[in-house]
Amino acid sequence: MLLWLLVFAACLEIASFGVITVLNIVLYDNAREGTKAVYDPYALFLQANGIWPTMGIATSGSIENDRVVWFFGGSTMRASTAPFDKSIPSFVASELNAAPGPVRYNCFNFGINSFNSILETKYLQKQLIEFQVRPNLVVFYDGANDANYFALYKSPYGHEGMDRVQGLLESYFKTPVGILKPLCAAWYASFTRELLAKAAYALTPLDPDAPMLRDYIELTVKRYDHVDRMAAAYGASFLLFLQPVYWAETCGDLDPAVRLDEERTILGRRAFPHVRQNFMIVYAALEQALADRPYFVSLRNALCSRTAPAYTADGVHQTDAGREGVARVIVPLLRQRLERVSSKAEELCRK
């Protein structure tokens, strides 16, 4: 009986691994979700290939005419599956530096695949301590991962790898005999457990009035308020963009040809309605709670004027055209905020 149980468990794990791998290939065009990661004591993990380069950056040769922007976000910000010159920071830097004048702009792409606001906040702390070039403006580009991890883990502290890390730390005391710790940790890290969690996410509706959702929204707003104060303490400004996603758009005037093209490409438009519903409940709650914050800008319908498909098969990650469209929308906002920071610095110097 024990032997057959072990065989069944092994077969179940292998089958779960197969299902998740196929899903990753369909959604992300990769057998694994994200690129290779390495441990980091501040941010939990970072990408093994380091900071993704940015095209179009420039310096003026004088500190007073240099502006530095730090970009944080998940895989849509990093865009590491595309050439680095097709990322949002690259498009932004190229457009900012195309304008005449003495001021030049340097943009750093600190986007990390699967990061949400929790891990970005810790990564920002690391860079403020260790990175040599100080920012004038800190930008967070969020929404998709925050909504996804809350809906998946049903926890205000959900983030990539949460169950695996929790299992590794707590497995010793969760087993009646300490020697069984590796088995307990293996369960938390198993593909079977991951598949069960994703199935629950896909099949279980989220209650928009749940106390846990209110707690999550309250804690997330406090987190962004903290980032705003932390940036200000270093003489920088802060902007939070709620990223556009296919499922959240309310574009009534979208080009019909583009709409048809995206409908053919984007998967799961009718299957698993709870996935989209759960995502949208969290996304909309974040948008509403942050609406009055001076650092917040919703990009829900920022791509409605597109003339080419802006989203890949999952409806979240953007095409090159989509990222370029986002850059065009946010450049005036970045320029305006940077001018405000510059004016405040000049005023302080005069005093």
Side-chain angles (χ1 to χ4, degrees):
M1 179 66 72
L2 179 60
L3 176 62
W4 281 110
L5 284 174
L6 292 174
V7 170
F8 174 76
C11 291
L12 183 61
E13 180 69 2
I14 292 170
S16 299
F17 167 77
V19 171
I20 290 174
T21 300
V22 169
L23 287 173
N24 288 340
I25 292 172
V26 170
L27 291 175
Y28 310 118
D29 198 27
N30 197 327
R32 298 189 181 189
E33 187 175 348
T35 53
K36 184 179 179 181
V38 293
Y39 166 73
D40 182 81
Y42 285 96
L44 186 62
F45 68 91
L46 295 174
Q47 241 69 79
N49 53 358
I51 298 171
W52 202 233
T54 304
M55 180 67 83
I57 61 176
T59 57
S60 67
S62 62
I63 296 176
E64 60 269 19
N65 287 326
D66 283 343
R67 303 290 182 269
V68 178
V69 185
W70 287 4
F71 288 89
F72 292 84
S75 52
T76 307
M77 175 58 71
R78 186 174 180 85
S80 56
T81 57
F84 65 83
D85 60 335
K86 301 297 183 183
S87 69
I88 291 174
S90 290
F91 285 126
V92 166
S94 298
E95 186 163 345
L96 285 173
N97 287 311
V103 177
R104 298 294 87 186
Y105 301 87
N106 192 355
C107 300
F108 290 92
N109 186 352
F110 294 133
I112 300 292
N113 295 348
S114 304
F115 264 30
N116 64 348
S117 60
I118 291 178
L119 299 181
E120 289 164 29
T121 301
K122 300 303 292 182
Y123 191 22
L124 171 62
Q125 180 187 19
K126 171 188 175 72
Q127 299 300 48
L128 287 172
I129 294 171
E130 298 181 353
F131 205 70
Q132 293 182 346
V133 182
R134 292 297 185 200
N136 301 108
L137 177 61
V138 174
V139 174
F140 276 28
Y141 185 74
D142 289 345
N145 286 341
D146 282 87
N148 180 62
Y149 289 126
F150 176 79
L152 178 64
Y153 290 116
K154 307 296 189 297
S155 166
Y157 300 103
H159 60 78
E160 169 67 12
M162 174 184 172
D163 47 2
R164 289 174 170 83
V165 177
Q166 184 181 9
L168 179 66
L169 293 174
E170 299 178 1
S171 57
Y172 181 86
F173 292 100
K174 287 187 175 181
T175 57
V177 181
I179 198 172
L180 297 178
K181 173 183 176 178
L183 291 177
C184 186
W187 163 241
Y188 275 94
S190 71
F191 289 99
T192 302
R193 193 174 190 275
E194 181 181 349
L195 186 60
L196 289 173
K198 289 184 175 180
Y201 176 16
L203 301 174
T204 307
L206 186 66
D207 180 6
D209 298 318
M212 185 165 45
L213 177 59
R214 291 197 297 272
D215 292 343
Y216 163 76
I217 296 298
E218 181 181 349
L219 287 171
T220 304
V221 172
K222 286 182 177 179
R223 187 178 308 127
Y224 286 129
D225 286 345
H226 168 69
V227 171
D228 185 42
R229 292 191 297 270
M230 184 162 53
Y234 282 85
S237 187
F238 172 56
L239 273 176
L240 165 64
F241 293 109
L242 185 68
Q243 68 188 92
V245 294
Y246 177 84
W247 313 109
E249 287 183 339
T250 55
C251 303
D253 55 348
L254 181 63
D255 186 319
V258 173
R259 186 186 301 278
L260 182 60
D261 201 350
E262 288 179 336
E263 286 179 354
R264 291 171 178 163
T265 304
I266 293 174
L267 303 171
R269 294 181 60 255
R270 296 178 179 83
F272 306 118
H274 291 317
V275 172
R276 299 192 302 277
Q277 177 185 337
N278 292 349
F279 178 94
M280 280 308 305
I281 286 172
V282 185
Y283 183 97
L286 277 173
E287 184 179 39
Q288 181 179 1
L290 289 162
D292 64 343
R293 292 305 195 269
Y295 54 76
F296 176 72
V297 179
S298 175
L299 299 180
R300 178 193 282 253
N301 291 321
L303 298 174
C304 286
S305 61
R306 61 187 179 273
T307 57
Y311 300 100
T312 59
D314 61 7
V316 174
H317 292 90
Q318 291 151 3
T319 62
D320 293 349
R323 291 189 295 275
E324 187 175 11
V326 168
R328 281 197 300 268
V329 171
I330 69 175
V331 158
L333 301 171
L334 300 180
R335 196 188 301 276
Q336 181 183 37
R337 187 57 67 96
L338 285 166
E339 289 174 355
R340 192 184 308 171
V341 172
S342 178
S343 299
K344 187 179 295 185
E346 291 175 0
E347 183 181 347
L348 288 173
C349 287
R350 286 195 297 269
K351 290 181 179 179

